[in-house]
């Protein structure tokens, strides 16, 4: 019997509504497998914790989470309670940085039954691989002076090690899919960092001669995600560009509530973290309207990560069958609740 210890952080808002069902689904899949068991350790870190304690997690929070095999996160943030830059940097980004989760993976695909805002989505199936630790989201910089003289400086940081690492992951992933990698760049406008990115991409691509490559400027690539998403297989991008592209991918699927993601530690020293792309959606929290698919599809990525790809495939099929049957929350045109969608997936498993 293999045991997987999950640190469970529902977080804020709808995280508390989509997480319980995803945990039930993981338990059901473990039962079906017969040789797998999940052990859940629950943590109440989030904005409510901050209001009580003045911090998003306790001082030893990272140490506690490090004892798990992976972190399963719901959502972070509620601007009505805590400013976003405090909640995100105090929990989500802190975990990513402390656990060296340097590669972020976000798929987007067409689901039969879910109406895409695109007139003809053409069965696109793509994955955005995002550098997750530096780039435009570095904390290098600062603010100085006051009033009309105030200045803000934000510096991007690109290391060859992290840039090469995320590109190598993208190429290996492409070899198991459509054998094509697209690089998101902006070397015609960002003078130093993006030509560096392009040079590393060319260098890494030589190690994978069987994989076809393209390099596209982020503005044109963003437009192409909307007009021709079926062109893409694996897209590798910097922290900011990957964040934007993956949200566009979620949008053309039909809802950001569907989209999953994985934050991967590549050196084996710390746990990886799995979280849906959506936020905490405080405007609909507590009303049973939250789409659980993002959290549940994220559970599929977690299963894949631990080598249970057959279970992951079973789960994805149950998701697809549920959506095909029209059992959907209102954000994608349905009229059923969070729990009803989850129950349908459980029944199909």
């Amino acid at each position: 019997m293999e045991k997987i210890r999950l640190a469970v952080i529902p977080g804020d808002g709808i995280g508390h509504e989509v997480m319980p069902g995803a945990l039930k689904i993981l338990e059901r899949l473990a039962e079906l497998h017969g040789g797998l068991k999940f052990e859940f350790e629950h943590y109440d870190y989030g904005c409510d914790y901050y209001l009580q304690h003045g911090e998003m997690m306790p001082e030893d929070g990272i140490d506690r989470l490090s004892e798990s095999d992976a972190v399963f996160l719901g959502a972070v943030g509620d601007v009505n309670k805590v400013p976003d830059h405090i909640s995100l940097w105090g929990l989500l980004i802190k975990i990513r940085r402390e656990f060296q989760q340097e590669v972020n993976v976000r798929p987007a695909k067409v689901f039969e039954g879910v109406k895409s805002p695109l007139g003809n989505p053409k069965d696109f199936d793509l994955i955005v691989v995002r550098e997750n630790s530096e780039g435009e989201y570095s904390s290098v910089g600062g603010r100085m002076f006051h009033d009309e003289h105030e200045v803000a400086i934000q510096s991007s940081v690109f290391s060859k090690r992290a840039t090469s690492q995320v590109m190598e992951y993208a190429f290996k992933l492409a070899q198991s899919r459509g054998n094509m990698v697209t690089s998101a760049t902006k070397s015609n406008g960002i003078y130093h960092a993006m030509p560096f990115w392009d040079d590393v991409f060319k260098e890494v691509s030589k190690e994978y001669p069987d994989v076809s490559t393209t390099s596209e400027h982020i503005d044109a690539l963003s437009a192409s995600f909307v007009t021709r998403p079926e062109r893409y297989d694996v897209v590798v991008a910097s922290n900011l560009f990957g964040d934007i592209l993956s949200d566009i991918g979620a949008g053309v699927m039909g809802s950001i509530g569907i989209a999953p993601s994985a934050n991967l530690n590549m050196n084996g020293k710390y746990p990886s973290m799995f979280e849906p792309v959506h936020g905490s959606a405080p405007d609909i929290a507590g009303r049973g309207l939250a789409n659980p698919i993002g959290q549940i599809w994220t559970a599929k990525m977690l299963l894949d990560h631990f080598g249970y790809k057959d279970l992951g495939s079973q789960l994805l099929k149950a998701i697809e069958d549920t959506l095909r049957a029209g059992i959907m929350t209102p954000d994608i045109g349905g009229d059923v609740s969070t729990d009803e969608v989850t129950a349908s997936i459980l029944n199909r498993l």
Side-chain angles (χ1 to χ4, degrees), residues 204-220:
V204 172
S205 67
K206 292 177 182 177
E207 301 172 18
Y208 301 88
D210 58 319
V211 179
S212 62
T213 63
T214 60
S215 183
E216 300 185 25
H217 291 139
I218 184 61
D219 44 354

Side-chain angles (χ1 to χ4, degrees), residues 180-184 201 212-216 221 231-232 234 236:
M180 185 175 76
V181 176
T182 300
S183 169
F201 184 70
S212 62
T213 63
T214 60
S215 183
E216 300 185 25
L221 180 54
R231 292 180 58 226
Y232 301 102
V234 175
V236 64

Side-chain angles (χ1 to χ4, degrees), residues 2-8 19 22-23 26-27 29 36-40 68-73 105 107 260-264 272-275 294-309 311-312 315:
E2 180 179 355
K3 294 182 180 180
I4 297 177
R5 298 167 298 168
L6 287 188
V8 178
M19 181 63 78
L23 298 182
L26 286 174
E27 288 181 319
L29 287 164
L36 173 63
K37 180 181 177 65
F38 286 100
E39 293 183 350
F40 303 133
S68 66
D69 296 314
V71 178
F72 199 35
L73 178 68
V105 183
S261 76
N263 302 276
L264 302 179
S272 295
M273 178 168 62
F274 299 84
E275 51 156 339
Q295 191 80 56
I296 296 169
W297 191 1
T298 296
K300 186 266 187 197
M301 297 185 75
L302 186 152
L303 291 163
D304 290 345
H305 174 73
F306 285 103
Y308 294 98
K309 294 186 181 296
L311 291 181
L315 178 52

